[in-house]
Amino acid sequence: MKAIKIYAVALSLLSLGACKKGFLDTEQVTAVTDQNFYKTPKDAFTALVGCYDGLQVVWSEGVALPVAAEVMSDNTFGATGNSDGFGYQMIDEFDKSRSPSDQNLYNRNWVLYYRALFRCNTLLGKLDQIEWGKDTELRKTYESEARFLRAYLLFDMVRLWGNIPLLTAPSTENLPQSNPDEVYKAIAEDLKFAAANLPEVAYPAQAVANHGRVTRYAAEALIGRVFLFYTGYYAKADLVGLVSKPEALAYLEDVITKGGYGLIENFANLWPAASPTSYAGEDNKETIFAIKYTYTSDYDGNTDGNHWMIMTGIREQALYPYGNGWGAETVNPKLWNAYLPTDTRRAGSIISIVDENLPFTNQKGQREYTGYYVKKYSPMIGLDGKPLPEAHGNTNFQIGQFQDYVSIRYADVLLMAAELGSGNAQTYFDAVRQRAYKGAFTPLAISQANIIRERRLEFAFEGIRYYDLLRQGIDKAAQEIAETSTVLNGGVSAEKKISAANIIATKGLQQIPYTQIGLSNGTLKQNAGW
């Protein structure tokens, strides 16, 4: 069996157990084929919903990138339970010997990413046969959304695995891995098209039914993120000749000046667990792009919940307002100590067992316990002690979590624009810091080092820090991540060691699933160090 064959999905998979918040609701489609589908704009919309759904589920199994990116960084340890396997330690330490039998941690993610790509590629390949009539702008919008989603998927994949087969059309061929430049060229082309053709609509102005859909500003913001990572990690002057530094900055400035976004006044209000009674809500004015989740997930095909958030929770003990989880991201004390006591982001981002006087008693069940857990994406319980999904009728707290993943925030755009040399760089930098420090704000001169440091404090646990490190060069990233420290394994002190040499050997990339290498009959080659 050829490896690429696992990427394909039948057209019937476009029938969805869709997210029930906004436009992702759609009627189920059955018994459809290439011959009787893709005829009307309504058909195209149904297929487009399938593309969004494809992105929504890529982290429903395997290891979710928002979790992996934090574990790989210097923000958190791999942890998990004291009696669990050592797969997350293997990820954390870039060390295959820590768990030699774990050869397929990312296999389901690989399959689901290519399945989502298949959906996008299929829709894009069928646009010419849709009867659009005079509504050519609608076609451009749908094409732009699908191309943004394809770019988003490819960007995840190329950062995670580095060397991937590039598919921009449905295929069952056993394709070799592409040069990353080819992948980034496809990403840049898709995002430039999307930025040029998507509506100029910011979330605060949208009807609720459109929340979660891509806007022009999401495409422009993602161009900035891709530019910074590609030019940093690969030491290039521009984004594969398609986006220069001034152009990347211009995209970001457009978001700032025309997008209608702004910073939420209180940082903690961005996160439900940090502000149970004053949460700013989903799709607030700071959200530029979010992956939508809801509480209706089950094991009968409705995969629309946040399945990965359970990994961040306090290990098997609920302590209001925090729900229990699997403790896979114990926070490195170095991050807690990196915040000044006057920085409101510290308490807004991190659960401190001691500082919050929480009666946590499950140290023996937790590996790599540090006394700190992730707050931004913590599961939650109500005052009745029950997991929040139960209030909506879902008794399975593992798959019923429904907090959206905010992929791009306005604060990120401000700091990216500052880093790229905006004439307003100091103003943008100060705006982010003024919110963090409130009355205790003191100015700090802008510099590359200060921006990177500020990004760590602002975006902890949002899947950004690791890639901010990598884009400074693999040696710099390895130096920052490597450490020898002491943690508690089952309540007993133990040494925790992360070797810079391992990170350098892997070039910061993760293991390609061995199942896929086998299915490819050796066409796929494993990444160095794995």
Side-chain angles (χ1 to χ4, degrees):
M1 180 179 181
K2 295 180 179 179
I4 302 302
K5 285 186 178 179
I6 67 164
Y7 310 155
V9 291
L11 187 60
S12 61
L13 282 173
L14 292 176
S15 61
L16 309 173
C19 180
K20 296 188 180 298
K21 295 187 288 186
F23 86 103
L24 286 179
D25 252 352
T26 188
E27 294 180 1
Q28 190 172 15
V29 179
T30 58
V32 292
T33 67
D34 280 0
Q35 286 69 45
N36 65 12
F37 199 63
Y38 295 109
K39 291 184 177 181
T40 69
K42 183 178 179 181
D43 294 339
F45 178 74
T46 300
L48 179 62
V49 173
C51 296
Y52 279 96
D53 183 78
L55 174 59
Q56 184 187 57
V57 303
V58 291
W59 304 325
S60 60
E61 300 176 65
V63 181
L65 187 57
V67 176
E70 293 301 321
V71 169
M72 291 185 288
S73 79
D74 54 349
N75 283 347
T76 76
F77 297 129
T80 65
N82 193 48
S83 60
D84 287 340
F86 290 90
Y88 275 75
Q89 280 66 46
M90 182 179 77
I91 294 171
D92 190 14
E93 299 166 22
F94 296 83
D95 185 354
K96 184 179 178 181
S97 69
R98 287 289 270 143
S99 191
S101 63
D102 272 315
Q103 300 186 0
N104 287 291
L105 283 176
Y106 293 99
N107 188 58
R108 284 301 297 165
N109 306 110
W110 180 280
V111 171
L112 292 170
Y113 271 114
Y114 276 105
R115 183 175 293 174
L117 280 179
F118 179 88
R119 294 182 178 191
C120 295
N121 289 335
T122 299
L123 172 58
L124 291 167
K126 299 293 184 180
L127 290 174
D128 285 341
Q129 71 185 52
I130 300 291
E131 297 171 3
W132 297 100
K134 296 181 180 179
D135 206 347
T136 55
E137 289 304 310
L138 184 62
R139 175 195 164 130
K140 286 183 180 178
T141 298
Y142 287 4
E143 179 177 357
S144 297
E145 289 182 78
R147 291 185 71 170
F148 173 95
L149 294 171
R150 180 170 67 181
Y152 190 103
L153 293 161
L154 288 171
F155 188 43
D156 271 8
M157 296 164 70
V158 75
R159 286 183 299 164
L160 190 58
W161 295 300
N163 306 289
I164 60 171
L166 173 62
L167 272 75
T168 55
S171 175
T172 58
E173 294 182 35
N174 193 6
L175 299 178
Q177 289 141 302
S178 300
N179 185 303
D181 284 351
E182 298 175 57
V183 180
Y184 278 96
K185 182 174 184 291
I187 292 170
E189 289 173 342
D190 279 349
L191 291 178
K192 288 184 69 176
F193 183 90
N197 292 285
L198 280 166
E200 298 181 17
V201 180
Y203 283 137
Q206 287 181 329
V208 172
N210 285 327
H211 284 170
R213 295 185 72 171
V214 179
T215 66
R216 158 182 165 173
Y217 302 113
E220 291 180 328
L222 190 55
I223 288 173
R225 182 176 290 178
V226 173
F227 177 89
L228 283 169
F229 182 77
Y230 175 81
T231 56
Y233 183 73
Y234 295 100
K236 300 292 181 69
D238 58 32
L239 180 53
V240 290
L242 294 176
V243 181
S244 67
K245 183 176 180 179
E247 288 170 331
L249 175 58
Y251 281 120
L252 296 171
E253 295 281 24
D254 192 59
V255 179
I256 295 167
T257 59
K258 298 179 182 178
Y261 300 99
L263 297 175
I264 295 296
E265 183 179 356
N266 296 312
F267 180 83
N269 291 356
L270 287 166
W271 316 105
S275 53
T277 61
S278 55
Y279 172 45
E282 297 170 350
D283 309 305
N284 59 65
K285 66 179 181 179
E286 194 162 338
T287 300
I288 294 176
F289 181 67
I291 297 178
K292 308 293 290 182
Y293 296 110
T294 192
Y295 45 80
T296 55
S297 271
D298 55 35
Y299 291 113
D300 295 319
N302 295 312
T303 311
D304 43 26
N306 186 329
H307 290 199
W308 55 267
M309 207 164 81
I310 194 68
M311 300 304 295
T312 73
I314 295 173
R315 182 73 190 185
E316 296 181 331
Q317 187 175 350
L319 302 164
Y320 180 82
Y322 315 119
N324 64 293
W326 307 143
E329 287 185 59
T330 53
V331 176
N332 191 327
K334 291 180 180 179
L335 175 60
W336 173 267
N337 294 328
Y339 290 94
L340 293 175
T342 52
D343 191 335
T344 62
R345 294 172 299 192
R346 184 170 74 173
S349 304
I350 302 173
I351 300 169
S352 171
I353 298 298
V354 171
D355 290 87
E356 297 184 36
N357 295 313
L358 297 173
F360 181 64
T361 58
N362 192 38
Q363 286 90 341
K364 289 187 177 180
Q366 175 73 68
R367 181 181 295 155
E368 299 184 1
Y369 178 72
T370 63
Y372 302 105
Y373 287 95
V374 173
K375 184 176 292 187
K376 286 182 179 178
Y377 287 101
S378 172
M380 295 178 67
I381 58 172
L383 289 169
D384 59 2
K386 295 180 180 179
L388 288 194
E390 287 193 20
H392 299 282
N394 192 330
T395 57
N396 194 322
F397 73 97
Q398 297 183 70
I399 62 174
Q401 303 297 328
F402 52 89
Q403 183 178 333
D404 292 347
Y405 172 59
V406 181
S407 175
I408 307 175
R409 288 199 282 122
Y410 183 61
D412 192 7
V413 173
L414 291 174
L415 292 182
M416 286 193 292
E419 187 173 348
L420 287 174
S422 170
N424 297 312
Q426 188 70 53
T427 299
Y428 297 160
F429 186 61
D430 288 348
V432 174
R433 297 186 68 251
Q434 282 172 333
R435 174 177 64 179
Y437 291 99
K438 294 296 186 180
F441 170 75
T442 55
L444 179 66
I446 198 165
S447 69
Q448 174 78 5
N450 285 342
I451 290 173
I452 293 293
R453 187 180 304 110
E454 203 65 35
R455 289 179 62 83
R456 183 189 190 188
L457 304 177
E458 179 73 21
F459 306 119
F461 321 125
E462 297 178 50
I464 290 176
R465 170 63 174 175
Y466 179 62
Y467 296 108
D468 277 351
L469 288 172
L470 275 190
R471 64 184 176 85
Q472 297 177 74
I474 187 63
D475 290 342
K476 171 68 172 177
Q479 177 185 350
E480 292 291 327
I481 297 169
E483 70 168 84
T484 299
S485 57
T486 300
V487 294
L488 293 178
N489 290 345
V492 178
S493 293
E495 182 182 77
K496 172 69 176 180
K497 185 173 183 179
I498 301 175
S499 166
N502 289 345
I503 302 168
I504 293 170
T506 63
K507 299 180 181 178
L509 301 175
Q510 281 293 297
Q511 181 185 62
I512 292 174
Y514 274 89
T515 290
Q516 300 308 314
I517 294 173
L519 289 170
S520 75
N521 295 320
T523 298
L524 298 180
K525 307 300 181 184
Q526 186 56 270
N527 284 327
W530 294 105

